[in-house]
């Protein structure tokens, strides 16, 4: 019986994509052909090989919070088709949702909770537009993470009460991104509350 030749070790010109393509074609050539197939088996893979996956990351946010606020303050919700009174931006996929609103509830479950189930298997990270606060939903729990936007003195302006310009803190956003990528919310965040399906 003939074996499958993968041509190791890799050399210049013998890229991983080429090796996988040759391996899959060699593997298929070892299979018995159906009687009604007159030609040789596949010379191309059934599905294109995608080998340039990037590391997952949260959305790229603008440096100035005012720009984000002005844009999303008037964007319509995809569920209720209205402009949310208290909008939140999912930092994983970019969808705008209604926070603590009756318009998008279904079976006493708020839109943020429903979206968390659909987008992140129960975990979602939201930037609440009207307060600049990051809210994390994980199952039936909620955590108020703080803000990734700070003023010129590196202070938060929760609920935008002071009206000072806010700038993206790349250090804080990288920290949030790392906690999400490493699935470490349960280990690093200790003051979780119960959202009781109100989000």
């Amino acid at each position: 019986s003939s074996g499958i030749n993968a041509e190791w070790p890799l050399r210049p010109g013998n890229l991983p994509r080429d090796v996988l393509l040759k391996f899959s074609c060699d593997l298929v050539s070892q299979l018995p052909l159906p009687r009604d197939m007159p030609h040789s088996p596949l010379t191309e893979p059934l599905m294109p090989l995608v080998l340039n996956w990037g590391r997952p990351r949260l959305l790229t946010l603008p440096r100035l919070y005012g720009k984000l606020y002005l844009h999303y303050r008037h964007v319509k919700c995809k569920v209720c088709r209205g402009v949310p009174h208290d909008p939140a931006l999912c930092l994983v996929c970019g969808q705008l949702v209604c926070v603590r609103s009756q318009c998008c509830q279904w079976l006493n479950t708020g839109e943020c909770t429903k979206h968390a189930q659909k987008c992140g298997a129960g975990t979602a990270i939201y930037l609440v537009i009207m307060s600049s606060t990051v809210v994390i939903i994980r199952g039936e729990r909620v955590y108020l993470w703080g803000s990734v936007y700070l003023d010129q003195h590196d202070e938060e302006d929760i609920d935008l009460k002071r009206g000072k310009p806010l700038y993206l803190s790349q250090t804080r956003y990288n920290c949030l991104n790392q906690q999400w990528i490493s699935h470490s919310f349960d280990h690093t965040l200790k003051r979780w509350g119960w959202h009781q399906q109100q989000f």
Side-chain angles (χ1 to χ4, degrees):
S1 74
S2 61
I4 297 172
N5 180 11
E7 294 185 14
W8 297 102
L10 291 177
R11 294 182 294 278
N14 196 7
L15 301 173
R17 183 182 189 285
D18 300 329
V19 171
L20 288 173
L21 179 61
K22 181 162 179 29
F23 175 78
S24 63
C25 290
D26 286 349
L27 182 63
V28 169
S29 70
Q30 303 299 317
L31 299 174
L33 288 174
R35 293 176 192 226
D36 58 344
M37 184 184 287
H39 303 293
S40 62
L42 302 175
T43 57
E44 292 291 322
L46 292 176
M47 297 178 63
L49 298 173
V50 179
L51 297 175
N52 57 351
W53 294 314
R55 183 177 184 181
R57 63 186 178 101
L58 298 175
L59 293 179
T60 301
L61 295 176
R63 182 173 178 271
L64 294 174
Y65 186 73
K67 186 175 182 180
L68 185 90
Y69 179 88
L70 290 175
H71 175 76
Y72 284 105
R73 181 63 188 108
H74 301 289
V75 173
K76 292 183 178 179
C77 170
K78 290 183 179 181
V79 176
C80 67
R81 307 265 188 237
V83 175
H85 175 70
D86 199 3
L89 177 67
C90 175
L91 295 178
V92 176
C93 72
Q95 183 170 330
L96 194 75
V97 296
C98 297
V99 178
R100 294 182 298 247
S101 178
Q102 299 293 322
C103 62
C104 296
Q105 280 196 356
W106 184 70
L107 297 176
N108 294 325
T109 302
E111 187 180 6
C112 291
T113 305
K114 287 190 304 185
H115 181 74
Q117 293 164 352
K118 183 176 109 177
C119 180
T123 300
I125 306 164
Y126 298 104
L127 176 63
V128 181
I129 302 299
M130 302 305 290
S131 71
S132 78
T133 305
V134 172
V135 174
I136 300 169
I137 291 183
R138 186 151 170 74
E140 297 178 354
R141 299 174 301 152
V142 63
Y143 186 86
L144 301 178
W145 194 87
S147 182
V148 293
Y149 281 94
L150 306 176
D151 65 15
Q152 64 183 2
H153 302 292
D154 290 336
E155 295 177 352
E156 295 181 358
D157 186 8
I158 301 300
D159 295 329
L160 309 176
K161 291 180 180 176
R162 293 194 313 253
K164 301 289 183 186
L166 299 176
Y167 307 94
L168 180 65
S169 168
Q170 200 60 55
T171 303
R172 281 191 176 201
Y173 200 52
N174 290 344
C175 177
L176 178 65
N177 193 50
Q178 185 58 37
Q179 288 174 353
W180 173 65
I181 288 173
S182 63
H183 303 278
S184 63
F185 288 138
D186 290 334
H187 305 292
T188 57
L189 308 177
K190 302 299 180 193
R191 296 182 182 171
W192 290 89
W194 302 98
H195 60 71
Q196 300 170 345
Q197 310 297 336
Q198 297 303 310
F199 272 89

